[in-house]
Amino acid sequence: MVIKMKISTIIPVYNAEKYIRRCLDSILGQDIEPQEIICVDDGSTDHSLDILRSYEKTHDNIHVITQKNCYAGIARNHGLKLAKGEYVHFMDADDYVLPGSYAKVYETAKKHAADYVKTRSKTFDMQSGLLTERNYFSLSGFPESIYGKVCSLSDCQDVLLKTARAPWTSFIKRSYLIEHNIKFNSLRCVNDRSFYMDVIMHTNRIVICNCYMTCYQINNKESLMGIRSDNFICLMQSYQIIKDLVADMPDNLRKKVLGYEFNSLAGRYAKLGTSQRKEVDSILLPFLKDFNWSELDGSILTASMSQPLYELLGIEFPSARQIKDLAALTGLYASFDKIALYGAGKVCHALIQYLNKRNDMQDKIACIIVSDQENNPDNLMGVPVRSVEKGNLSADTVIIIATFENVQLPIYHGLSSITACDVWGMTDALYEQLLQENS
């Protein structure tokens, strides 16, 4: 009788002599059989390979292969080619697996015939020496109802897009990876983000498991995460890879995915020091100047995290350019002779209805601007509807983005980059005030 291999653990190893023993011992100590451990030495220059060979000699289920330094993504792909397990776990050499977790996660995978099982993770702070939890890894910010249900990206996007993309957080069915030809990219770092998206976008057999499986080291200055400022271009390349991957997704989901990816880039830039930013700016500026802001869901972008990018582009931070109440609206109207509104939805309706009651304000409205004129009327409540190109906008025109706040950010970026107009946004609180005034 042939016994089917249950788990293949694949570990890319590069100069991990301080941690690799702990990692291997944590996997060997799991109460599940049969399992195999495939270690791919990525051209280590320390004693990592010697340690791996010593384990290989004393454990029949440990296999060591070597490659020149091609980075973790290629090493994982190399290991996957040799794997025989029903499920694959991609581990990192400086992390470790928590006791008894493999059996629990495998049981969950089999119970639900899952292609992908997302697990919880703990974190070990290298600076403080404390075992901690972060929502991003532990899923602690989500309700208990997420666990143990079969789902897909489309119906579980809040969990899957707001949590860690790291492959060590999951079990993945090996046959599923082969069927869809899913591989890691070859970037020096962030090679896991596109892999993660490729994995979760093809299946409706995803399960979130209420089990802590791995412990991830944070504040490790020797890790690739610690030196990512030297490889910032990888973040931009990763964004483009994912943009190509999700090109055929439904519009709303695609924008949300890209919003989270851009948010990751913005967050990394915000954490850089002044000297590091100077090194990165020459790479980042061309990327941002040609960036299509309309491809993002603006509600994803974290305002405080994005502020350094606005400063880099010389764009005033949007939160400082919001019309918060009726008094601010009146003051803005008094300061400009020509006003254009962006958007033709319910927020714009409420604003025009209010302005029509104010004889001193309605005559200043030049037009309503829309991104898709073909699918909008020629006029709205007596105001002409135009595209940006046909709106005859001049520098003395103020544009008010008459939409809900969660979609304003990409609109703001787009208008700021193609017009010389002053651009302002309405708050949702102002919209509520307009509804009250109009009732």
Side-chain angles (χ1 to χ4, degrees), residues 87 300 333 396 418:
Y87 284 89
I300 302 301
Y333 261 72
D396 60 348
I418 63 176

Side-chain angles (χ1 to χ4, degrees), residues 121-162:
S121 302
K122 293 184 181 293
T123 52
F124 178 76
D125 193 317
M126 294 286 287
Q127 301 301 311
S128 68
L130 298 176
L131 195 65
T132 61
E133 288 193 22
R134 291 188 176 184
N135 288 353
Y136 186 62
F137 300 108
S138 69
L139 312 183
S140 299
F142 297 101
E144 291 290 322
S145 59
I146 68 170
Y147 299 114
K149 293 182 179 180
V150 179
C151 64
S152 65
L153 173 59
S154 60
D155 56 29
C156 202
Q157 52 191 265
D158 281 343
V159 179
L160 295 174
L161 295 179
K162 288 183 179 180

Side-chain angles (χ1 to χ4, degrees), residues 7 9 23 65-66 74 83 95 127 140-141 150 207 261 265 271 305 332 336 349 365 387 393 414 416 434 437:
I7 307 296
T9 304
C23 177
I65 55 178
T66 62
I74 299 299
D95 303 326
Q127 301 301 311
S140 299
V150 179
V207 177
E261 292 306 312
L265 187 151
K271 293 178 181 178
M305 191 178 291
L332 184 66
F336 290 88
H349 276 76
I365 305 176
S387 65
L393 303 175
S416 297
L434 293 174
E437 291 291 322

